[in-house]
Structures are given as structure tokens and as C-alpha cells.
């Protein structure tokens, strides 16, 4: 990106004139959800029916529509399903749920069941199936946020930076134009502001500030993402315990590590929906759930994607973004060499990396001496020319951090030039 292109965005306007450059954050939410088909679920559907829709459309959340009031009453996502499973397990078995909100310690050190009225209503009488409407936002992780089409990406980014994964862009009071996700915003930023072009001439109307451009070339370590405070599980960890950890720490993924704390897999909240297909998996281990999830993913999506993606602390944010976009992952584990030999080799002063099963699934990244820009194939299935190859993770690596889409949104929001705030604007949140 040329310096002129960067300098134009030092102070940006949300009212650009004809032909004027605009900062990427002034793009309106409605522009990013054009021609989108909105998937929704009837509020009277069961939780299991809602999960079937998530699987069929390969999504992690869905808005709930109430035909009686002809309005959207909330959002059902996989964190809610995890809370539902934990509450249901505690009720049906008459035992203590691993989740903190399902049991409490009484005087004398004894525990008694403490299922919330919302959970009881969702479960139905005697633990039978209840309406998905009663489970919506049970986890309180991803409430239903609605915004107007003219809401800027800058305003949406503030919500995403706090952990929300998506917002509903409303056409009017009773119709959703589209669902704007963290993934869509990060992809837009990368493709319009971080990816290299065949020309030094910037694309019209897509500019970033010098501070943002410098941030893109800052390493993950310098950005403070190597915290070594990562929530992990072992392959033999029970699924119910993993669900409890997801809810307790309000995270969307757990690193699966071996006895030497080496990264061997990834258990995502996206794997939870497959519990609907095989109830026995609720009593299984993390290894068994991940394996079953990958098999079912192949059945429903026609492909078997790698289960884990990683980068090194020396990788730049620009490279991490390219890998997030190329793989469609919601997070990358940050890893460093462990006890084993680093799986790289040097030839002629160029570092090369062999093809690893935890990379993108395409050919190995070519080794380069230096590469400031990043690019991604149009099919988003391979990464090419994005960084020195030794930045890729290896099986002998141990986990030392994580970079998620929420981290990316926080960094972009914190480092963007600040437009004049509109004191009259408030986000509309539906409980």
C-alpha cells in the first residue's frame, strides 16, 4: 500500500465527496450484507430442530422469529446449546452439572442443584424437549444485537471488540436484511486494506491510517498476544467437562494438548452441534467428539478440513489475518517450538517448511526472504506469498497464546482514527 494511500486516512470523514477516499470503517453495515439470504428458525421449534438447521447451513447461530408478534425475539447459538446440555444433564441425571451456574455450595459443604427458571422452562416438564425460544441467550455470550443499514463498520467494530460475534442488520422493524459477522468484517478489511494488489495504485475509497498499516506489520508477540494463559484440554478429557470450560471461560475454542503440552488438536464450539447427531458423544472424550465432528463435516460439507491452525509469535498481524481469511478459522493458536526438532529446513539461505497436516490443506507456503504484503487465493483454500514459511506451526510446538477474530476486532478498533461520535446513536439490543 502506497504511503499516499495511507496518509489519506490520517483524518477520515464519514461524508466523503464524489471520488473522495474514505476510511474502511466508514463503510455502512448494509453494504456488507447485500444479497444475503437470511436463515431463521421459528421460535416454537425445539432445540434439536434448531441445531439441525445450524448443521444444514453450516452456521453457528440463527435468529429466532415469532410468527405471533411477527418480530425477531432473540438469537440461538451454540453457546446456548452448550448451556442447555449442561442444564439438561444435571436435571435428568439428578447430579451436579460441571457448570458453575447449575449448582451451588450450601452450608455444610453440600451441593444442591440450582437450575435457573429459564433452564427449567426450556427443558420442559421432567426434562422433555422445550422450545428453542426459552434457550435463546441462556449462555449470555452472544445476545441479539440489531443495527440499521446505515450503521458504520466503526460502530459495529466497537460491539465486536467486546466479544459479540455478529449483529443483525435490519431492513425495517420486522425484517432482517442480513447478518454481519466478525468474519465478514475481517475479510473485508483484509481484502481491501491488507492484501497486496498488482498495482501501486490503491483501490478507490479503501484507505487505512498509517498507524493501522504499521500495526499490520507488528508481530503477534509485540501485540501482547503471547500470554501463555490458554484454556486447554487433553484428548481424554470428557466432553461435558470441555463444555463446562467453554461456558466458564466464555471462549469459543479449546486447545487440545498432550502430556507434554504440545498442540495436537482443537475443540471448537462448532463441534457441539454434532451432539445432536449422536447422543452418545455427550459421554465421550474430546478426541472422540473431534473425530466424529470431522467425519460428519465431510458428510454435510463434502470436505474434511484440518482441525487446527497455528502461527508463531514472530508472525505479523498481516500474516495472521491472511491465514484466518484463507482457512475460514475463527482463531489461530500461537505456538512455539517445544521439546522436539523444529520442522523447518534451510536451503540456500531460504527457510522452507514441509507440508503439515495442521496448515491450510493446500501446498506448503513457499519460503521467502522477506514479504511485507499478504495475499490469498480467490478460492480461499490456500495461502500464497504471505510470510516466511517458518512462521507456520508444527506438531512439536507448544501453545503460548491465541489470536481470535475478537482480538483482531479489538486491535482494529483501538488503532483506528476516531471519528466524531454521534451521541444520539445507541445500539439496539434485544433480550
Amino acid at each position: 500500500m502506497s504511503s499516499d494511500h495511507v496518509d489519506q486516512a490520517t483524518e477520515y470523514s464519514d461524508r466523503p465527496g464524489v471520488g473522495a477516499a474514505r476510511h474502511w470503517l466508514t463503510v455502512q453495515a448494509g453494504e456488507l450484507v447485500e444479497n444475503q439470504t437470511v436463515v431463521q428458525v421459528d421460535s416454537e421449534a425445539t432445540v434439536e430442530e434448531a441445531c439441525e438447521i445450524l448443521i444444514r447451513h453450516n452456521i453457528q447461530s440463527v435468529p429466532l422469529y415469532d410468527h405471533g408478534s411477527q418480530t425477531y425475539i432473540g438469537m440461538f447459538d451454540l453457546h446456548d446449546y452448550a448451556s442447555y446440555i449442561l442444564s439438561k444433564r444435571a436435571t435428568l441425571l439428578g447430579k451436579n452439572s460441571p457448570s458453575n451456574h447449575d449448582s451451588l455450595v450450601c452450608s455444610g459443604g453440600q451441593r444442591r442443584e440450582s437450575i435457573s427458571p429459564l433452564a427449567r422452562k426450556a427443558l420442559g416438564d421432567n426434562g422433555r424437549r422445550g422450545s428453542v425460544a426459552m434457550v435463546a441467550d441462556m449462555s449470555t455470550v452472544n445476545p441479539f444485537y440489531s443495527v440499521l443499514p446505515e450503521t458504520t463498520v466503526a460502530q459495529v467494530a466497537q460491539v465486536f471488540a467486546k466479544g459479540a460475534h455478529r449483529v443483525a442488520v435490519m431492513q425495517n422493524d420486522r425484517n432482517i436484511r442480513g447478518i454481519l459477522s466478525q468474519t465478514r468484517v475481517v475479510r473485508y478489511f483484509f481484502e481491501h486494506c491488507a492484501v497486496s494488489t498488482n498495482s501501486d495504485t490503491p483501490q478507490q475509497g479503501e484507505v487505512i491510517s498509517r498507524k493501522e498499516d504499521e500495526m499490520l506489520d507488528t508481530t503477534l508477540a509485540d501485540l501482547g498476544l503471547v500470554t501463555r494463559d490458554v484454556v486447554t484440554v487433553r484428548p481424554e478429557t470428557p466432553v461435558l467437562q470441555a463444555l463446562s470450560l467453554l461456558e466458564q471461560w466464555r471462549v469459543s475454542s479449546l486447545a487440545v494438548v498432550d502430556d507434554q503440552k504440545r498442540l495436537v488438536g482443537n475443540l471448537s464450539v462448532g463441534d457441539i452441534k454434532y451432539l445432536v447427531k449422536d447422543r452418545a458423544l455427550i459421554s465421550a472424550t474430546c478426541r472422540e467428539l473431534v473425530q466424529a465432528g470431522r467425519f460428519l463435516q465431510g458428510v454435510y460439507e463434502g470436505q474434511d478440513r484440518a482441525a487446527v491452525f497455528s502461527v508463531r509469535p514472530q508472525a505479523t498481524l498481516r500474516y495472521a489475518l491472511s491465514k484466518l481469511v484463507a482457512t475460514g478459522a475463527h482463531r489461530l493458536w500461537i505456538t512455539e517450538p517445544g521439546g522436539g526438532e523444529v520442522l523447518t529446513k534451510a536451503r540456500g539461505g531460504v527457510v522452507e517448511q514441509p507440508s503439515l497436516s495442521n496448515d491450510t490443506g493446500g501446498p506448503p507456503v513457499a519460503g521467502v526472504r522477506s514479504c511485507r504484503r499478504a495475499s490469498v487465493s480467490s478460492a480461499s483454500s490456500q495461502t500464497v506469498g504471505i510470510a516466511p514459511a517458518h512462521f507456520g506451526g508444527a506438531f512439536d510446538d507448544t501453545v503460548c497464546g491465541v489470536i481470535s477474530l475478537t482480538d483482531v476486532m479489538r486491535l482494529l478498533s483501538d488503532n483506528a482514527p476516531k471519528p466524531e461520535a454521534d451521541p444520539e446513536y445507541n445500539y439496539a439490543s434485544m433480550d
Side-chain angles (χ1 to χ4, degrees):
M1 188 174 299
S2 66
S3 59
D4 291 340
H5 181 45
V6 173
D7 287 341
Q8 293 178 69
T10 301
E11 296 293 336
Y12 70 88
S13 171
D14 58 357
R15 297 180 296 275
V18 177
R22 63 174 181 177
H23 190 274
W24 74 278
L25 283 173
T26 64
V27 174
Q28 295 183 351
E31 299 178 50
L32 300 186
V33 296
E34 292 181 350
N35 303 317
Q36 186 182 112
T37 300
V38 178
V39 179
Q40 64 186 36
V41 170
D42 190 296
S43 61
E44 294 302 314
T46 66
V47 174
E48 289 74 14
E49 289 170 340
C51 285
E52 290 283 357
I53 291 178
L54 296 181
I55 295 174
R56 188 184 314 150
H57 295 277
N58 190 28
I59 54 179
Q60 294 192 9
S61 66
V62 64
L64 304 181
Y65 186 78
D66 179 65
H67 286 279
S69 61
Q70 296 186 338
T71 58
Y72 292 93
I73 62 172
M75 184 80 74
F76 171 73
D77 76 353
L78 291 172
H79 278 283
D80 299 325
Y81 185 46
S83 294
Y84 169 76
I85 291 175
L86 292 171
S87 297
K88 185 174 182 179
R89 195 71 171 176
T91 300
L92 295 180
L93 298 181
K95 297 181 179 180
N96 298 318
S97 167
S99 182
N100 287 342
H101 58 69
D102 289 338
S103 61
L104 55 84
V105 178
C106 304
S107 58
Q110 294 182 341
R111 284 186 174 270
R112 68 175 175 86
E113 191 180 348
S114 180
I115 306 297
S116 68
L118 176 62
R120 288 190 181 281
K121 192 172 183 180
L123 294 173
D125 295 336
N126 300 319
R128 292 196 300 268
R129 295 181 180 182
S131 167
V132 67
M134 301 305 171
V135 182
D137 200 29
M138 180 184 285
S139 67
T140 71
V141 174
N142 288 303
F144 188 105
Y145 286 99
S146 62
V147 298
L148 300 175
E150 57 268 28
T151 302
T152 65
V153 172
Q155 293 169 309
V156 175
Q158 295 174 15
V159 177
F160 287 165
K162 296 178 181 179
H165 293 169
R166 61 200 62 84
V167 297
V169 182
M170 305 301 294
Q171 181 67 37
N172 50 51
D173 290 343
R174 296 185 176 182
N175 294 284
I176 295 179
R177 175 184 291 192
I179 302 296
L180 182 57
S181 65
Q182 289 180 331
T183 300
R184 179 69 180 97
V185 172
V186 169
R187 175 178 287 277
Y188 181 88
F189 171 79
F190 176 78
E191 293 178 344
H192 291 77
C193 302
V195 72
S196 62
T197 63
N198 296 326
S199 172
D200 290 335
T201 302
Q203 299 181 20
Q204 184 63 45
E206 298 157 349
V207 296
I208 61 174
S209 67
R210 182 176 299 280
K211 183 179 180 181
E212 290 171 304
D213 195 54
E214 292 173 349
M215 176 189 65
L216 286 170
D217 295 310
T218 304
T219 67
L220 303 182
D222 289 340
L223 289 172
L225 295 171
V226 183
T227 62
R228 306 185 190 281
D229 185 18
V230 178
V231 184
T232 64
V233 292
R234 300 290 177 86
E236 62 275 12
T237 299
V239 168
L240 284 175
Q241 184 177 340
L243 296 187
S244 179
L245 288 172
L246 287 170
E247 297 310 291
Q248 178 182 350
W249 295 100
R250 302 173 71 84
V251 294
S252 61
S253 189
L254 302 171
V256 183
V257 300
D258 63 12
D259 292 338
Q260 285 74 46
K261 298 184 179 181
R262 296 175 300 189
L263 181 65
V264 297
N266 176 82
L267 191 147
S268 167
V269 68
D271 296 316
I272 298 175
K273 59 179 178 283
Y274 296 116
L275 296 177
V276 172
K277 291 297 183 181
D278 188 350
R279 300 294 180 84
L281 289 173
I282 295 178
S283 302
T285 65
C286 290
R287 177 191 287 111
E288 293 167 333
L289 175 59
V290 171
Q291 290 174 342
R294 291 189 65 182
F295 170 77
L296 291 170
Q297 186 180 60
V299 171
Y300 287 96
E301 300 178 36
Q303 59 181 341
D304 184 14
R305 295 183 299 183
V308 58
F309 301 102
S310 61
V311 289
R312 293 282 175 82
Q314 298 82 12
T316 64
L317 178 61
R318 194 186 302 271
Y319 171 61
L321 285 177
S322 71
K323 199 163 187 179
L324 284 168
V325 171
T327 61
H330 292 176
R331 91 285 308 155
L332 299 173
W333 301 111
I334 304 174
T335 63
E336 57 188 1
E341 180 181 357
V342 179
L343 299 182
T344 58
K345 57 181 179 179
R347 185 180 66 181
V350 178
V351 177
E352 297 181 332
Q353 177 185 331
S355 180
L356 300 175
S357 61
N358 69 333
D359 210 306
T360 64
V365 177
V368 291
R369 296 178 186 275
S370 64
C371 182
R372 183 171 181 272
R373 299 299 171 220
S375 62
V376 61
S377 67
S378 58
S380 298
S381 61
Q382 303 174 2
T383 52
V384 292
I386 46 183
H390 66 282
F391 284 166
F395 277 125
D396 281 344
D397 282 9
T398 57
V399 182
C400 59
V402 62
I403 176 169
S404 66
L405 293 178
T406 298
D407 294 320
V408 173
M409 294 307 308
R410 175 178 53 80
L411 289 169
L412 294 178
S413 181
D414 290 348
N415 287 274
K418 305 300 181 184
E420 294 182 359
D422 183 353
E424 300 299 323
Y425 185 85
N426 290 301
Y427 293 106
S429 178
M430 298 173 61
D431 296 326

